[in-house]
Amino acid sequence: MAQADKTSGHHGGSPFPDIVELNVGGQVYVTRHATLLAVPNSRLWTMFSQQDPAELVRDSKGRFFIDRDGVLFRYILDYLRNLTVVLPDYFRERASLQKEADFFQLHELSKRLRSLMIKDNSLTEEACRYDPEEAALGALASTSMAVSPSSTPNPCSPSLDPRKSGYITIGYRGSYTIGRDIQTDHKFRRVARITVCGKTSLAKEVFGENLNESRDPDRPPERYTSRYYLKYNFLEQAFDQLSEAGFHMVACSSTGTCAYTSNDPNEDKVWSSYTEYVFCRD
């Protein structure tokens, strides 16, 4: 009993336990109290050293609640543990992570992220300023025939159409109730979530800001994924966006199961279904 009190109770006269549970934007984290105090005068240091636990917001399970990006907080916590930042390849959330660093008043982390973004921007500008392959093509064109500027595509020009061929699959789960009277209207429930499966680069091109990628911010652009879903619940809107991007439907499949059966003839039957639509762009 004494050992249990030692590991889960308070330490060093602090009103906070040695092991702290956090709910950050719906994501649960468990860390040591000392980790949250790693950077003096940061927001977490102030919260967990200068404030009383009763003053902090908690969720329904008693965990300390912070209303910030729950996925990006893992990088904040890693920084507090090691005082260094290691980001995965293809990480496209540096600007968002810098905002989180500013919010938590981690000034050194914010400065490092800003330097990384400046470096990336300069490399991109340098690549657009001089492309050896483009220069070679331009020299070849000038020796063979006169070509109008618009006929030679510039890979850094926003007017270049970067669209690639590929497939995107849209899926959703739904349910409906069939009443005793077959002539009565069926009761359909709203589509809860529309999932997206395909290459990350294609999904981002078609759906843009409507694509929720918070669960997987560092996935490479050419990796296939089924971890995305749309921020809206209207299939017609998804179809419109796919059509505008040059996709057309090539296949559709659906399955349905009865959620329960009853011998009572007066009971309504509830059916659940899963449907997928496959879109293609040649």
Side-chain angles (χ1 to χ4, degrees):
M1 181 65 69
Q3 180 66 22
D5 292 340
K6 181 179 179 180
T7 57
S8 61
H10 298 202
H11 62 103
S14 171
F16 291 94
D18 182 34
I19 304 300
V20 178
E21 291 189 30
L22 303 174
N23 177 348
V24 184
Q27 299 286 331
V28 176
Y29 292 90
V30 180
T31 186
R32 298 184 68 90
H33 178 250
T35 301
L36 301 175
L37 307 184
V39 179
N41 300 317
S42 65
R43 185 180 294 269
L44 291 171
W45 180 86
T46 301
M47 291 174 60
F48 292 95
S49 68
Q50 305 301 304
Q51 292 183 260
D52 188 274
E55 299 174 351
L56 301 180
V57 179
R58 295 177 183 254
D59 66 8
S60 59
K61 294 187 177 180
R63 296 175 293 225
F64 295 106
F65 179 75
I66 303 175
D67 191 16
R68 299 299 296 183
D69 190 311
V71 173
L72 292 181
F73 186 75
R74 63 174 173 167
Y75 301 108
I76 298 293
L77 200 55
D78 283 345
Y79 176 77
L80 293 177
R81 289 166 177 154
N82 306 305
L83 294 182
T84 186
V85 54
V86 179
L87 300 177
D89 295 335
Y90 307 104
F91 188 78
R92 299 185 177 184
E93 303 294 322
R94 287 178 181 170
S96 298
L97 183 56
Q98 185 194 346
K99 291 181 181 178
E100 297 303 302
D102 288 338
F103 173 82
F104 288 107
Q105 299 174 358
L106 299 171
H107 305 302
E108 184 62 30
L109 175 59
S110 179
K111 185 190 304 181
R112 295 184 189 181
L113 291 170
R114 189 178 296 108
S115 299
L116 288 174
M117 288 188 292
I118 293 174
K119 181 179 179 181
D120 287 347
N121 290 337
S122 16
L123 288 175
T124 302
E125 291 174 2
E126 184 64 26
C128 291
R129 190 176 300 116
Y130 177 74
D131 187 335
E133 294 183 3
E134 183 185 0
L137 289 173
L140 179 61
S142 63
T143 58
S144 60
M145 60 181 295
V147 182
S148 64
S150 60
S151 63
T152 303
N154 179 1
C156 296
S157 171
S159 61
L160 177 67
D161 187 357
R163 301 195 299 184
K164 301 178 181 179
S165 60
Y167 291 86
I168 289 181
T169 301
I170 300 296
Y172 79 95
R173 297 187 184 276
S175 63
Y176 55 93
T177 302
I178 299 180
R180 299 185 305 274
D181 185 357
I182 198 65
Q183 301 298 325
T184 60
D185 292 336
H186 301 326
K187 299 176 182 178
F188 290 88
R189 296 183 183 177
R190 187 186 66 172
V191 176
R193 178 172 292 180
I194 301 174
T195 59
V196 177
C197 180
K199 283 187 178 179
T200 296
S201 56
L202 287 178
K204 289 183 177 180
E205 176 199 334
V206 174
F207 298 109
E209 295 181 353
N210 291 317
L211 190 71
N212 190 314
E213 55 177 317
S214 61
R215 292 179 56 197
D216 211 358
D218 53 354
R219 184 168 290 269
E222 296 309 314
R223 181 77 62 83
Y224 285 92
T225 178
S226 58
R227 296 169 63 87
Y228 293 154
Y229 61 90
L230 299 179
K231 295 180 180 179
Y232 52 76
N233 299 320
F234 303 102
L235 281 172
E236 298 83 356
Q237 187 174 350
F239 294 167
D240 285 342
Q241 287 194 270
L242 285 161
S243 177
E244 292 169 0
F247 284 81
H248 60 277
M249 189 186 302
V250 294
C252 173
S253 65
S254 182
T255 60
T257 57
C258 189
Y260 67 90
T261 57
S262 173
N263 295 326
D264 187 352
N266 295 322
E267 285 287 338
D268 294 343
K269 292 185 176 180
V270 179
W271 289 78
S272 60
S273 64
Y274 178 72
T275 305
E276 285 187 340
Y277 302 92
V278 182
F279 288 81
C280 174
R281 184 169 68 189
D282 299 327

